[in-house]
């Protein structure tokens, strides 16, 4: 995967999860409070992404395989039991997103 492809993947999943609606959802708290929370959240996510990237590079260097996904990285570092928990968590999160998108899409479609 190229750097451009990885950046497009991250940007697409970030915007797809409803990030554009966060300023409107937090405007009731005020500009300073909502901006502070959004900037702090962004900083946390940026640090977490850099840690995941560093871990992935470390596992690729240790194993010599460049085609490892996130769950394979978790399994190789934390063992198969934690890898199973991470896989179940991924499945739950994606199922919850699918339900949320279907519900909101249905409401928008019904309104049209």
């Amino acid at each position: 995967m190229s750097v451009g492809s990885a950046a497009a993947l991250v940007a697409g999943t970030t915007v797809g999860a409803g990030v554009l609606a966060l300023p409107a959802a937090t405007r009731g708290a005020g500009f300073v409070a909502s901006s502070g929370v959004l900037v702090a959240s962004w900083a946390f996510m940026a640090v977490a992404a850099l840690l995941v990237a560093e871990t992935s590079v470390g596992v690729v260097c240790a194993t010599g395989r460049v085609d490892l996904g996130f769950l394979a990285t978790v399994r190789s570092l934390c063992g198969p039991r934690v890898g199973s928990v991470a896989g179940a968590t991924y499945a739950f999160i994606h199922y919850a997103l699918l339900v949320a998108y279907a519900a909101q899409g249905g409401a928008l479609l019904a309104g049209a």
Side-chain angles (χ1 to χ4, degrees):
M1 179 180 285
S2 69
V3 173
S5 298
L9 179 66
V10 170
T13 54
T14 301
V15 172
V19 168
L20 295 178
L22 286 176
T26 60
R27 72 174 167 218
F31 178 75
V32 174
S34 63
S35 295
V37 167
L38 292 174
V39 168
S41 298
W42 171 83
F44 174 77
M45 289 184 283
V47 168
L50 289 172
L51 289 172
V52 168
E54 183 178 352
T55 303
S56 296
V57 169
V59 170
V60 165
C61 290
T63 61
R65 293 183 51 203
V66 295
D67 59 343
L68 291 176
F70 183 72
L71 292 178
T73 302
V74 170
R75 276 190 214 103
S76 68
L77 290 174
C78 301
R81 186 173 260 177
V82 176
S84 297
V85 171
T89 304
Y90 252 14
F92 175 75
I93 287 172
H94 286 100
Y95 178 72
L97 280 172
L98 177 67
V99 169
Y101 288 154
Q104 188 62 33
L108 292 173
L109 190 60

